[in-house]
Structures are given as C-alpha cells and as structure tokens.
C-alpha cells in the first residue's frame, strides 16, 4: 500500500511542484554562492594589484605600474590561446545562445574558464564589469545541475536562466533585478509560469545568501 501511494505521489503534480521548488532553491544557493565567491576573489585580486598596494609591499618604481595590466593581458591571452572555442563563449550573449541553440547546455569547463579568466583580466585593470561573468557563472551552475539531474531540455533552459538571474541577484543585492534580468535578457520575454517561479525562488534564495554573507552593502 505504501509503495503504491509513493508511486502515485511521484507521478502527481504536487510532487513535481515540490521538486521544482527544491531544485530552484538549490540553484539559487549554488549560483548565488558561486557569484559571491567570484565577487570576493575579484575584490581581493583588485586590491592586491592596486598600484599603491604593490608599491608599498614590494617597493616597485612608479613606471612598473604599466606592467600590471600587461601581465594580466598576457595570462588571459595564454588561456585564450589554449582554449579559443571556450574563450569565445563569454558573457550574457553566450548564455542566451546556449539557451536558444543548445537548449541550456553549458559545459562545466566553460563555466570554470569564465570564472578564472575574468578574475585575472578585471583584477589586473581591464575596464570590464562583473555582470557578464556573474551571469555566465550562474547560468553554468544551473545548467550543470540540470545535467547532473538529467532533466529535460525545457527544464534545463529554465534552470539555466534561473541560475543567471540568481547570480545577478547575489552580486548586486537586487532579487527583483535578477528576476527581470532573467526574463528580459536571458529568456527574451519568452515567459512561462514555471520559469517565472524558478527565477523568483532562485533570485530570492541567492539574495538571502548574499546578504547573510556580505551584508547589505558591498
């Protein structure tokens, strides 16, 4: 009797809805956590490579400051040379392309690459912002978890978008912005009810985690 009821429960809409909520919360936690780690490592890197800090620690001559962005550019160029295809898949555009063309599939190595490379380039002075890398990291985490759970393509698209929105929410302490980012930028206003709930749950979860760890001000 118990096994029969359990089997019926697993096939029910309630079971699917509860699973949807749990997965959305996990993606919000993981994507938000990934964005926070990226944010903190980037902050430490930027602080370390500030000219005043380097001169104070190593007593470098003033003209050596120009070698900081050059060194970062060389390292990033080497990474790009070793993995040119992965290097091209960067920023928000690559997440949109993954959703539209690859049904939300973002390889894990691509996510790791775009976690490391922006830290080096932005941390050494490249005039870039953290929005694109954060969205890429969050979307990659959502996609990878969907692949691990062997979800269908529609769910993978939904949770990839939810991961991107959650990462934006965590980095900027703005869950509403994370939701609308996912709706307008990632899903291109192709909105479904489950996608909206996934974005809201993941973004709020990421924001709670961010405020718990980093506080209300970054």
């Amino acid at each position: 009797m118990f096994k029969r009821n359990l089997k019926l429960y697993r096939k029910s809409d309630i079971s699917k809805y509860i699973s949807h909520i749990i997965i959305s919360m996990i993606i919000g936690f993981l994507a938000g956590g990934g964005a926070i780690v990226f944010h903190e490592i980037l902050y430490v890197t930027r602080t370390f490579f500030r000219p005043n800090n380097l001169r104070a620690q190593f007593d470098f001559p003033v003209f050596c400051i120009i070698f900081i962005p050059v060194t970062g550019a060389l390292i990033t160029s080497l990474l790009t040379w070793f993995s040119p295809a992965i290097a091209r898949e960067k920023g928000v555009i690559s997440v949109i392309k993954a959703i539209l063309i690859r049904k939300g599939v973002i390889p894990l190595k691509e996510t790791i690459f775009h976690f490391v490379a922006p830290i080096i380039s932005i941390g050494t002075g490249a005039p870039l912002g953290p929005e694109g890398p954060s969205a890429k990291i969050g979307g990659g985490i959502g996609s990878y978890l969907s692949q691990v759970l062997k979800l269908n393509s529609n769910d993978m698209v939904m949770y990839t978008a939810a991961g991107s929105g959650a990462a934006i929410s965590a980095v900027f302490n703005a869950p509403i912005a994370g939701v609308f980012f996912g709706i307008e930028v990632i899903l291109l206003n192709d909105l479904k009810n489950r996608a909206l709930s996934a974005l809201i749950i993941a973004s709020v979860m990421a924001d709670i985690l961010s405020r718990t760890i980093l506080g209300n001000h970054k």
Side-chain angles (χ1 to χ4, degrees):
M1 185 67 178
F2 175 76
K3 290 183 178 180
R4 179 174 175 274
N5 290 335
L6 182 61
K7 188 175 181 180
L8 290 173
Y9 169 74
R10 287 176 176 173
K11 292 182 178 180
S12 67
D13 291 336
I14 295 176
S15 172
K16 294 177 182 177
Y17 184 68
I18 291 174
S19 298
H20 171 66
I21 292 174
I22 292 173
I23 292 172
S24 299
M25 291 177 66
I26 293 172
I27 286 175
F29 181 83
L30 294 178
I36 291 168
V37 171
F38 172 78
H39 178 276
E40 290 300 286
I41 295 177
L42 180 59
Y43 175 79
V44 171
T45 306
R46 275 175 165 170
T47 302
F48 177 80
F49 283 107
R50 280 177 185 164
N52 291 339
N53 289 344
L54 284 178
R55 289 182 62 196
Q57 293 180 45
F58 302 104
D59 195 27
F60 286 153
V62 176
F63 71 87
C64 288
I65 292 172
I66 64 172
F67 293 108
I68 298 173
V70 171
T71 301
L74 286 173
I75 296 172
T76 306
S77 297
L78 280 173
L79 291 173
T80 302
W81 186 73
F82 281 114
S83 305
I86 294 176
R88 285 194 295 268
E89 301 294 329
K90 60 184 177 181
V92 176
I93 297 299
S94 71
V95 181
I96 296 173
K97 189 166 75 173
I99 287 174
L100 294 178
I101 299 175
R102 301 200 301 265
K103 299 299 183 182
V105 176
I106 299 176
L108 180 60
K109 60 183 179 181
E110 193 175 302
T111 305
I112 294 172
F113 181 95
H114 291 289
F115 180 93
V116 175
I119 288 175
I120 296 170
S121 59
I122 299 173
T124 54
L128 303 171
E131 299 88 354
S134 298
K136 181 72 176 185
I137 293 165
I141 290 173
S143 175
Y144 180 70
L145 182 61
S146 299
Q147 294 172 55
V148 170
L149 297 176
K150 297 181 179 179
L151 302 179
N152 60 48
S153 59
N154 291 332
D155 286 345
M156 191 174 294
V157 166
M158 175 174 61
Y159 293 128
T160 299
S164 289
I168 294 296
S169 173
V171 169
F172 296 102
N173 270 348
I176 295 176
V179 171
F180 279 98
F181 174 84
I183 293 172
E184 295 180 1
V185 179
I186 304 300
L187 293 177
L188 302 177
N189 289 317
D190 182 15
L191 185 61
K192 307 293 189 297
N193 289 333
R194 291 182 73 235
L196 178 60
S197 62
L199 276 165
I200 292 173
I201 293 169
S203 295
V204 170
M205 188 71 189
D207 184 62
I208 291 171
L209 180 66
S210 175
R211 290 177 187 272
T212 301
I213 296 175
L214 302 178
N216 292 327
H217 304 285
K218 296 188 177 80

